[in-house]
Amino acid sequence: MLTLGIESSCDDTSAAVLEGDSGLLANVVSGQDTIHARFGGVVPELASRKHLESIHPIVDEALDRAGVCLENIDLIAVTQGPGLIGSLLVGYSYAKAISYVRKIPYVGVDHMAGHLLSVFLENEQPTFPYIALLVSGGTSSIFLCKDFNSFELLGRTRDDAAGEAFDKVAKILNLGYPGGPCIAREAEQGDKTKFSFPRARLEGNSFDFSFSGLKTAVLNQCNRLKQKNTLPTADICASFQEAVVEVLVEKTLAAASKYDIDTIVLGGGVSANGRLRQAMKQKCRTMGIELFYPRPTLCTDNAAMIALTGFHHYRKTSSTPCGHNEIIDYDSDVYSRSKLW
Ligand code: KG4
């Protein structure tokens, strides 16, 4: 079975072709960093206009690279939400149109579920149940993943997502966009113990996150140092990154311990962060927990994870009596908030 995945939830236009549940034949991602960099963040209107230009050539390129054509595709899996409505609409309408004209079934996929399952595109795969730390530009959350279609939310961000904090701190320091990789690069040269930034642990051992206080603490520190004309950018980056990583690792391990789970999976753009991987690996080793994460290109937004998630959703739902009709609903619309919480 061949699934064509389409992703356009934010500022990456992506298309992928997946054979069965793990044979990735193509995964093409076209980013828009150069368009949004000068604004220090994604401008929704510009993003959707660029998706309109890119969607057709990117889908064509994915089919070409996979060595197949639309006639060979059995299923279209497309991101339905969450994300920027204008961006989502481009991919979703495109998928519906191909589905209708070519009579190929399509399935709407929750982008967050895609991140939770992206690790199954790798050779080394976890077994269910596992605790997933999902850290991206839009969310920081912890899930108990029970199977390919069942995810229980244990905790989520109450304000800024981890990736958003990276992006905002990079903007304060004029490091460029997206901020995460810029901060990670600077942090390599810095002293992570130089500044003691706050770690929000929240009441009652909650698995929720809060990063807005940390971001404000960095801003205040930078303002103070700028007045003295001394801004040790690398040390600030390393200390900020350490504060984020410490809380992410601590809460994920606490969730694994509470639910007695011995497997942890990372997903989302921030999980490409080297220091997060290293710190999580160290702690998991000492606690006898198995750790899995996708390669960096599958951590950030991509259509491969959407194809995989859609494949599993379709396989489960289409086996029920009215499943097929439930999935293919041309009146359905995109949504901005995830259905996983
Ligand atoms: O998952 P993603 O591509 O898009 C969303 O669905 O949000 O994540 C993008 C986020 C951005 O905030 C970016 O700064 C962050 O992931 N990011 C990183 C790294 N690479 C990307 N954050 C920290 N370290 C990185 N190496």
Side-chain angles (χ1 to χ4, degrees), residues 7 9-12 111-112 115 134-139 162-167 177-184 241 267-274 299-302 305:
E7 152 68 28
S9 64
C10 189
D11 60 341
D12 291 306
H111 180 84
M112 296 302 162
H115 278 306
L134 170 46
V135 268
S136 68
T139 188
E164 205 177 345
F166 269 95
D167 293 338
Y177 175 84
C182 305
I183 295 222
Q241 178 176 266
V270 182
S271 67
N273 184 275
C299 288
T300 45
D301 290 350
N302 66 85
M305 66 182 192

Side-chain angles (χ1 to χ4, degrees), residues 39-316:
F39 302 103
V42 177
V43 182
E45 183 63 25
L46 296 182
S48 40
R49 283 171 189 267
K50 186 64 190 167
H51 282 305
L52 262 182
E53 283 173 26
S54 306
I55 189 86
H56 189 61
I58 292 298
V59 168
D60 265 359
E61 192 178 333
L63 293 170
D64 264 7
R65 282 200 203 172
V68 300
C69 48
L70 272 180
E71 283 69 35
N72 307 119
I73 297 295
D74 303 294
L75 175 69
I76 301 167
V78 56
T79 306
Q80 191 172 359
L84 301 171
I85 291 298
S87 292
L88 286 163
L89 269 173
V90 176
Y92 202 63
S93 312
Y94 188 86
K96 275 191 200 173
I98 305 178
S99 163
Y100 188 78
V101 173
R102 299 288 183 136
K103 312 228 173 323
I104 306 168
Y106 89 93
V107 53
V109 172
D110 191 286
H111 180 84
M112 296 302 162
H115 278 306
L116 292 175
L117 297 177
S118 58
V119 73
F120 287 97
L121 293 161
E122 299 294 7
N123 291 334
E124 281 188 31
Q125 302 184 352
T127 48
F128 292 105
Y130 59 78
I131 293 290
L133 171 68
L134 170 46
V135 268
S136 68
T139 188
S140 311
S141 34
I142 297 179
F143 284 89
L144 171 57
C145 300
K146 299 170 185 172
D147 63 45
F148 285 110
N149 295 287
S150 171
F151 317 104
E152 182 184 339
L153 178 70
L154 305 181
R156 57 176 292 198
T157 183
R158 293 195 186 168
D159 38 55
D160 287 354
E164 205 177 345
F166 269 95
D167 293 338
K168 286 178 178 169
V169 167
K171 196 169 178 182
I172 293 167
L173 293 167
N174 275 325
L175 290 178
Y177 175 84
C182 305
I183 295 222
R185 255 191 317 275
E186 281 287 327
E188 280 172 24
Q189 321 299 327
D191 174 1
K192 62 182 186 314
T193 62
K194 187 84 178 181
F195 299 98
S196 174
F197 291 128
R199 276 82 165 144
R201 294 213 156 76
L202 305 177
E203 74 292 341
N205 296 326
S206 160
F207 295 126
D208 283 354
F209 296 101
S210 167
F211 291 112
S212 68
L214 168 60
K215 178 198 63 193
T216 308
V218 174
L219 177 65
N220 291 339
Q221 184 67 263
C222 289
N223 287 340
R224 273 194 296 273
L225 291 167
K226 270 181 201 160
Q227 279 171 357
K228 293 187 200 159
N229 268 336
T230 51
L231 193 62
T233 306
D235 292 341
I236 289 176
C237 288
S239 304
F240 159 77
Q241 178 176 266
E242 199 58 18
V244 175
V245 165
E246 203 176 292
V247 176
L248 294 176
V249 172
E250 198 177 283
K251 292 204 181 227
T252 310
L253 288 167
S257 169
K258 179 171 176 189
Y259 289 86
D260 198 18
I261 303 281
D262 58 7
T263 306
I264 287 177
V265 167
L266 307 182
V270 182
S271 67
N273 184 275
R275 176 64 193 139
L276 172 63
R277 289 171 174 227
Q278 182 195 42
M280 192 69 93
K281 219 188 273 178
Q282 276 167 357
K283 289 278 183 191
C284 283
R285 203 177 297 133
T286 58
M287 289 177 66
I289 289 177
E290 270 202 291
L291 177 66
F292 296 85
Y293 42 75
R295 73 197 91 151
T297 48
L298 294 175
C299 288
T300 45
D301 290 350
N302 66 85
M305 66 182 192
I306 301 303
L308 174 100
T309 308
F311 168 84
H312 284 290
H313 186 53
Y314 182 75
R315 188 155 74 171
K316 182 182 172 215

